[in-house]
């Protein structure tokens, strides 16, 4: 292993560990809010599933890839490879679906009462759980093909025409089959991306109109406080922007990866990094914009400092 590959593998390991810790910390934060009686927002349920999906994508891609890169042979097994690849794809798909659902739900929530979304605005919270369950089911259904075509590099099967993906390999198919296969996998992702961009554009338009309506209030108040809906919308827009940016980059690298008959280890590693960027960064984006995180942090600091001060008196 040369120094370049070692540096990239160490970066993947760090990215995976930091991303998993960030997602688990945010999940623990929501669990703490629930048990302390804090009233959670409707979007918090979607965010919980986004966190679980991100953790699943990071665990099932970063950990086995790093172990294989550092010379751990015969890992994972044939069954383990199929399961890990399947769970990674499901986690990635649910992450994309959760961002889409979050964007659509928020644009319905902040829409004016006289808009065409007025009737759906009241019923929207009831559709969150069925929509999330449907997202998990569809991703499992779409990605069920991976356990068929993916196998371990250490398998006893004598398959010579393989495509190497680090810790797993896939059977090489005809180009027509590859195009149909890629279309099947990309259709849900592209559909979700289109809905996400439409919802984001609608949110920006609604916020712009709202800003124009309250300009006279801003003239009389030097430091007006934005509404909770406005703050939540800006957070979601920031999250969506991060998602679209890294999803576009990862898609470009995945297309490049598919063009090579035998992709180099460098291209495989860079693709892994790009795919893991959003799952690793999204919890920190959410924590930086969530006021309840800051409130709990300062309360914890206060509670830990106060007993120490009392003991020193």
């Amino acid at each position: 292993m040369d120094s370049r590959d070692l540096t990239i593998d160490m970066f993947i390991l760090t990215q995976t560990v930091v991303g998993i810790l960030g997602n688990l910390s945010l999940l623990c934060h929501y669990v703490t809010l629930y048990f302390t009686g804090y009233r959670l927002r409707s979007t918090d349920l979607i965010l919980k599933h986004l966190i679980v999906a991100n953790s699943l994508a990071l665990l099932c891609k970063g950990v086995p890839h790093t172990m294989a890169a550092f010379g751990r042979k015969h890992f994972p097994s044939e069954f383990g490879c199929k399961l890990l690849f399947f769970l990674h794809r499901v986690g990635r798909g649910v992450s994309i679906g959760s961002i889409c659902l979050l964007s659509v739900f928020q644009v319905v929530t902040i829409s004016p009462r006289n808009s065409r979304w007025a009737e759906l605005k009241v019923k929207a919270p009831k559709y969150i759980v069925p929509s999330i369950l449907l997202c998990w089911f569809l991703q499992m259904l779409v990605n069920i093909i991976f356990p068929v075509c993916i196998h371990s590099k250490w398998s006893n099967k004598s398959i010579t025409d393989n495509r190497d993906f680090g810790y797993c390999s896939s059977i090489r198919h005809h180009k027509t089959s590859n195009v149909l296969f890629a279309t099947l996998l990309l259709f849900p992702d592209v559909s979700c991306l289109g809905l996400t961009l439409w919802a984001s554009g609608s949110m920006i338009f609604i916020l712009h109109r709202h800003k124009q309506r309250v300009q006279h209030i801003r003239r009389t108040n030097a430091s007006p406080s934005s509404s909770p809906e406005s703050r939540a919308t800006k957070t979601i827009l920031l999250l969506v922007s991060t998602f679209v940016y890294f999803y576009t980059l990862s898609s470009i690298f995945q297309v490049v990866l598919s063009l090579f008959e035998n992709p180099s280890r460098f291209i495989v590693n860079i693709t892994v990094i790009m795919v893991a960027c959003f799952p690793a960064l999204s919890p920190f984006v959410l924590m930086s914009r969530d006021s309840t995180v800051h409130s709990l942090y300062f309360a914890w600091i206060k509670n830990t400092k106060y007993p120490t001060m009392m003991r020193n008196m």
Side-chain angles (χ1 to χ4, degrees):
M1 182 187 300
D2 57 25
S3 58
R4 185 186 66 178
D5 290 336
L6 179 61
T7 302
I8 294 176
D9 290 332
M10 288 300 299
F11 183 85
I12 293 173
L13 177 61
T14 304
Q15 182 188 44
T16 302
V17 172
V18 172
I20 291 173
L21 289 177
N23 281 285
L24 290 180
S25 299
L26 191 57
L27 185 61
C28 290
H29 165 69
Y30 283 121
V31 172
T32 303
L33 290 180
Y34 176 78
F35 283 106
T36 54
Y38 184 85
R39 186 177 179 182
L40 297 175
R41 301 180 296 263
S42 300
T43 53
D44 288 338
L45 180 60
I46 305 175
L47 291 175
K48 290 178 187 177
H49 282 265
L50 174 64
I51 294 167
V52 173
N54 286 341
S55 302
L56 198 63
L58 287 169
L59 274 172
C60 296
K61 189 73 171 181
V63 173
H65 183 89
T66 304
M67 294 182 70
F70 282 98
R72 177 68 185 271
K73 294 185 177 181
H74 306 290
F75 178 87
S77 63
E78 181 74 10
F79 174 77
C81 181
K82 294 177 182 294
L83 181 63
L84 288 173
F85 213 96
F86 173 74
L87 291 178
H88 164 72
R89 290 292 310 184
V90 171
R92 179 180 178 275
V94 173
S95 177
I96 296 171
S98 297
I99 291 293
C100 175
L101 181 60
L102 191 65
S103 304
V104 173
F105 179 82
Q106 190 64 21
V107 76
V108 172
T109 301
I110 67 172
S111 60
R113 295 184 179 180
N114 58 352
S115 67
R116 61 181 182 273
W117 304 107
E119 185 178 351
L120 185 60
K121 189 173 183 178
V122 181
K123 300 178 180 179
K126 300 178 182 179
Y127 296 136
I128 289 180
V129 174
S131 300
I132 293 173
L133 294 177
L134 180 63
C135 182
W136 281 97
F137 174 76
L138 288 178
Q139 289 300 325
M140 290 181 182
L141 187 64
V142 169
N143 292 289
I144 197 67
I145 193 171
F146 278 101
V148 178
C149 62
I150 294 293
H151 60 88
S152 174
K153 291 174 64 176
W154 314 107
S155 173
N156 294 326
K157 297 179 180 179
S158 57
I159 304 174
T160 56
D161 199 12
N162 285 341
R163 290 176 62 88
D164 190 1
F165 293 107
Y167 66 95
C168 287
S169 301
S170 69
I171 304 171
R172 201 185 307 276
H173 297 284
H174 192 269
K175 288 186 177 180
T176 305
S177 302
N178 288 336
V179 171
L180 293 175
F181 182 62
T183 303
L184 174 65
L185 295 177
L186 285 175
F187 179 75
D189 293 355
V190 173
S191 301
C192 287
L193 184 62
L195 279 174
T196 301
L197 292 175
W198 167 81
S200 301
S202 300
M203 282 189 281
I204 293 172
F205 177 73
I206 292 172
L207 285 179
H208 179 68
R209 290 186 60 183
H210 177 72
K211 183 179 179 180
Q212 289 181 330
R213 290 175 182 174
V214 298
Q215 277 184 345
H216 65 282
I217 300 177
R218 292 181 181 274
R219 294 192 189 99
T220 58
N221 190 352
S223 57
S225 58
S226 58
S227 64
E229 290 81 6
S230 177
R231 290 195 300 270
T233 302
K234 291 176 182 177
T235 301
I236 292 172
L237 284 173
L238 178 61
L239 188 66
V240 167
S241 301
T242 308
F243 161 73
V244 172
Y245 176 74
F246 285 115
Y247 178 79
T248 303
L249 281 179
S250 65
S251 298
I252 292 172
F253 277 95
Q254 285 180 327
V255 170
V256 172
L257 184 65
S258 64
L259 294 177
F260 287 90
E261 293 293 328
N262 291 300
S264 66
R265 182 176 178 179
F266 176 76
I267 296 177
V268 173
N269 287 341
I270 294 298
T271 304
V272 171
I273 291 174
M274 290 296 106
V275 169
C277 276
F278 176 74
L281 290 177
S282 59
F284 299 101
V285 173
L286 290 171
M287 285 189 284
S288 67
R289 300 283 300 181
D290 195 338
S291 59
T292 59
V293 174
H294 304 151
S295 301
L296 283 178
Y297 173 75
F298 288 119
W300 177 77
I301 291 294
K302 183 179 179 180
N303 291 333
T304 53
K305 283 186 176 181
Y306 182 74
T308 305
M309 293 173 61
M310 293 295 293
R311 285 195 298 267
N312 294 333
M313 290 179 63

